[in-house]
Amino acid sequence: MKLSRRDFLLTSGVMVGLMASGKFLHSQAWAYTYPSEFEYAELDLEEVGWEAYRNYFKKWCCSTVLAGLVSQLRKRVGGPWKDFPIDAYRWAHGGLAGWGALCGTMVGAGIVIGLVTKDTDTAEAMVNDLAFFYSYTPLPQYQPRKILKAEIQNMSVAGTPVCHISVGRWMSAEGVAFFTEERAERCARLSADVAMKAAQMLNEWYKNGKKYKPKNRVLYNLLHNGITSQNNCMDCHGANVPNPEETYATLKK
Amino acid sequence: MKLSRRDFLLTSGVMVGLMASGKFLHSQAWAYTYPSEFEYAELDLEEVGWEAYRNYFKKWCCSTVLAGLVSQLRKRVGGPWKDFPIDAYRWAHGGLAGWGALCGTMVGAGIVIGLVTKDTDTAEAMVNDLAFFYSYTPLPQYQPRKILKAEIQNMSVAGTPVCHISVGRWMSAEGVAFFTEERAERCARLSADVAMKAAQMLNEWYKNGKKYKPKNRVLYNLLHNGITSQNNCMDCHGANVPNPEETYATLKK
């Protein structure tokens, strides 16, 4: 876990404080509702996870999270979900076509969240909570009903939704390189975790009369640097970060 | 411009070499076509730019690029574009709800590219070329027909499609903080640039019988570190990177 103690305490403190107070403090100034034909129905989480896991090996992270969420919506809601083009978003894999920026699972989950919530505040709050889950939970936790690629041993805490940091930290924990069956297995399981968490939040919102209680403050108001980022700058940019080239050179192919 | 000389030469060399050879070297192993009801029509670039620019101040980066591209598709193609929920993707602003990861303009452009190309290879190649454009072009270049927010003086080279690096480098060039009219103006103009570049690539593909000639090699095969990332690791992670907190503290509010 490569969060600094200060960052961890800061984040935890904010999370606990806001969960306790139930407050959601970001400005409402630019919030609005919008029309969308896409409706929601309560989803079976285990089925969401399995669909996301098993489709990963062909569709990769973004489209497989969509597969996990949309496969049941096609049956339970129908309508525009029937023709929803799951594969049209595959370019978001690997942090944008392999550029390693934002983990594609977040894009896939965000697309469904945005389509069904129809309110910028709700969508933003849910995506933000999902980013906190992604960044500060040891992952992957999903245990497939049948392992399709490889046995893996380790979980890691990404500290960020940025693809190459997240996957790199897991690779270091597991001691394996990127082009391995183990790494593919990890990303498949993590896709299941993100799809299931998104479905859990959407189920909660749906059962609560389409009202969502945010778990975390929206990040852009947490900033002490006045820029769109987390508060853990030196976690990536600091002089104590291991040299990535040296780190990856030690991993098993 | 904070690219290292080595990175710049590496990238430039690859770009020039591949543009000259016309080769597109990534594996075709997992490429496939997919159905989508969304069709394309040639777009007027100046109109794309203006719609993306003027909508930024309410919709922010991702949805405003969608507004730039979809506003004409609604009129020229109709069909499913008529009900396309531009605002359902606003959560992608600020690199994911303000987390500063992937610039939301890339998500907005990628969504339209993926919906109309219907082929994973074509969508991936186009998104990849757009990421090279974003990362290695001095931006913003768009000159609005009417300035809606502020006069700005500087362009900067992001070196990456990561939001907080891109906007941070421009803020340093301009000498202004994040919550300023100048920074909003920059992101609005950059949104116009990305929307126009995406429309230009889609127009080229459309007029060429829906065939696209990639300009750059897909990044995940360029890797010397074996991870989903660019090759300029030390550009962000190196000991010579200025301390972000100190940098931002010097900027004008």
Side-chain angles (χ1 to χ4, degrees):
Chain A
M1 183 151 162
K2 299 197 178 177
L3 295 173
S4 75
R5 181 175 148 77
R6 176 174 167 277
D7 293 323
F8 185 76
L9 291 174
L10 180 66
T11 306
S12 305
V14 169
M15 289 169 74
V16 169
L18 279 140
M19 280 189 285
S21 70
K23 283 185 186 169
F24 184 47
L25 302 174
H26 89 284
S27 164
Q28 307 288 313
W30 293 109
Y32 52 85
T33 60
Y34 48 85
S36 157
E37 296 184 324
F38 292 85
E39 301 298 337
Y40 190 71
E42 192 176 345
L43 300 183
D44 178 277
L45 298 188
E46 212 291 313
E47 188 66 18
V48 166
W50 173 248
E51 287 295 314
Y53 171 74
R54 76 176 185 85
N55 277 289
Y56 174 85
F57 304 103
K58 181 154 192 188
K59 298 185 189 298
W60 298 332
C61 45
C62 178
S63 286
T64 210
V65 166
L66 287 168
L69 296 167
V70 171
S71 58
Q72 286 180 67
L73 292 170
R74 282 186 174 147
K75 291 178 246 168
R76 297 187 184 189
V77 177
W81 290 117
K82 286 187 186 168
D83 297 315
F84 184 85
I86 287 171
D87 296 299
Y89 307 90
R90 206 184 70 160
W91 53 267
H93 79 87
L96 190 79
W99 281 64
L102 176 63
C103 175
T105 62
M106 295 298 305
V107 178
I111 286 170
V112 173
I113 289 168
L115 287 173
V116 302
T117 54
K118 307 175 193 182
D119 169 62
T120 56
D121 253 2
T122 304
E124 178 111 359
M126 221 179 273
V127 166
N128 185 58
D129 283 346
L130 194 62
F132 271 98
F133 166 80
Y134 184 106
S135 301
Y136 299 110
T137 308
L139 297 176
Q141 296 186 349
Y142 177 72
Q143 296 291 330
R145 57 179 83 153
K146 182 185 171 197
I147 294 175
L148 296 179
K149 191 66 84 175
E151 297 272 2
I152 56 175
Q153 309 302 328
N154 290 275
M155 296 189 290
S156 56
V157 175
T160 169
V162 169
C163 164
H164 79 282
I165 307 286
S166 170
V167 73
R169 285 178 178 165
W170 184 85
M171 285 159 52
S172 292
E174 190 80 5
V176 298
F178 187 81
F179 291 110
T180 59
E181 297 207 329
E182 287 80 5
R183 199 279 313 157
E185 177 78 21
R186 175 265 183 186
C187 288
R189 293 191 192 187
L190 181 142
S191 298
D193 285 323
V194 172
M196 291 168 78
K197 186 68 183 179
Q200 182 198 320
M201 294 193 302
L202 286 166
N203 284 352
E204 176 192 327
W205 161 82
Y206 185 70
K207 290 190 281 186
N208 192 34
K210 299 192 176 176
K211 302 233 174 294
Y212 183 71
K213 191 180 286 188
K215 310 289 187 299
N216 303 280
R217 186 168 168 175
V218 170
L219 194 67
Y220 58 74
N221 275 345
L222 287 177
L223 308 177
H224 62 304
N225 279 329
I227 195 166
T228 44
S229 75
Q230 300 172 253
N231 285 338
N232 53 348
C233 304
M234 306 317 283
D235 190 27
C236 288
H237 299 295
N240 293 327
V241 174
N243 181 315
E245 303 189 27
E246 290 169 12
T247 302
Y248 299 134
T250 66
L251 300 176
K252 290 193 288 266
K253 301 291 174 192
Chain B
M1 182 150 163
K2 298 196 180 178
L3 295 173
S4 75
R5 180 175 149 76
R6 176 174 167 277
D7 293 323
F8 184 75
L9 291 174
L10 179 67
T11 307
S12 304
V14 169
M15 289 170 74
V16 170
L18 280 141
M19 281 190 285
S21 70
K23 283 185 185 168
F24 184 46
L25 302 174
H26 89 284
S27 163
Q28 306 288 314
W30 293 107
Y32 52 85
T33 59
Y34 48 85
S36 157
E37 296 184 323
F38 291 84
E39 301 298 337
Y40 190 70
E42 192 176 345
L43 300 183
D44 178 276
L45 298 188
E46 213 290 314
E47 188 66 18
V48 166
W50 173 247
E51 286 296 314
Y53 172 74
R54 76 176 185 85
N55 277 288
Y56 174 85
F57 303 102
K58 181 154 192 189
K59 298 185 189 298
W60 299 331
C61 45
C62 178
S63 286
T64 210
V65 166
L66 287 167
L69 296 167
V70 171
S71 58
Q72 286 181 66
L73 292 170
R74 282 186 174 148
K75 292 179 246 167
R76 297 187 184 191
V77 177
W81 290 118
K82 286 186 186 168
D83 297 316
F84 184 86
I86 286 171
D87 296 298
Y89 307 90
R90 206 184 71 160
W91 52 267
H93 79 87
L96 190 77
W99 282 64
L102 176 62
C103 176
T105 61
M106 295 299 304
V107 178
I111 287 170
V112 173
I113 288 169
L115 287 172
V116 302
T117 54
K118 307 176 193 181
D119 169 62
T120 57
D121 253 1
T122 305
E124 178 111 359
M126 220 179 274
V127 166
N128 185 58
D129 282 347
L130 194 62
F132 271 97
F133 167 80
Y134 184 106
S135 300
Y136 299 111
T137 308
L139 295 175
Q141 297 186 348
Y142 176 73
Q143 295 292 330
R145 57 180 82 153
K146 181 186 171 197
I147 295 175
L148 296 179
K149 190 66 84 175
E151 297 272 2
I152 56 174
Q153 308 302 327
N154 288 276
M155 296 189 291
S156 57
V157 175
T160 169
V162 169
C163 163
H164 78 282
I165 307 285
S166 170
V167 73
R169 286 178 177 164
W170 184 85
M171 285 159 52
S172 291
E174 190 81 4
V176 297
F178 187 80
F179 291 110
T180 57
E181 298 208 329
E182 287 79 6
R183 199 278 315 156
E185 177 78 21
R186 175 266 184 187
C187 289
R189 293 190 192 186
L190 181 142
S191 298
D193 285 323
V194 172
M196 290 169 79
K197 186 68 181 178
Q200 182 197 321
M201 294 194 301
L202 286 166
N203 283 352
E204 175 192 326
W205 161 82
Y206 185 70
K207 290 190 281 186
N208 191 34
K210 299 192 176 177
K211 303 234 173 293
Y212 183 70
K213 191 180 286 188
K215 310 289 186 298
N216 303 280
R217 185 168 169 176
V218 169
L219 195 67
Y220 58 73
N221 275 345
L222 287 177
L223 308 177
H224 64 303
N225 278 329
I227 195 167
T228 44
S229 76
Q230 299 172 253
N231 286 336
N232 53 348
C233 304
M234 306 317 283
D235 190 28
C236 288
H237 299 294
N240 293 327
V241 174
N243 181 315
E245 303 189 28
E246 290 170 10
T247 303
Y248 300 133
T250 66
L251 300 176
K252 290 193 286 267
K253 302 291 174 192

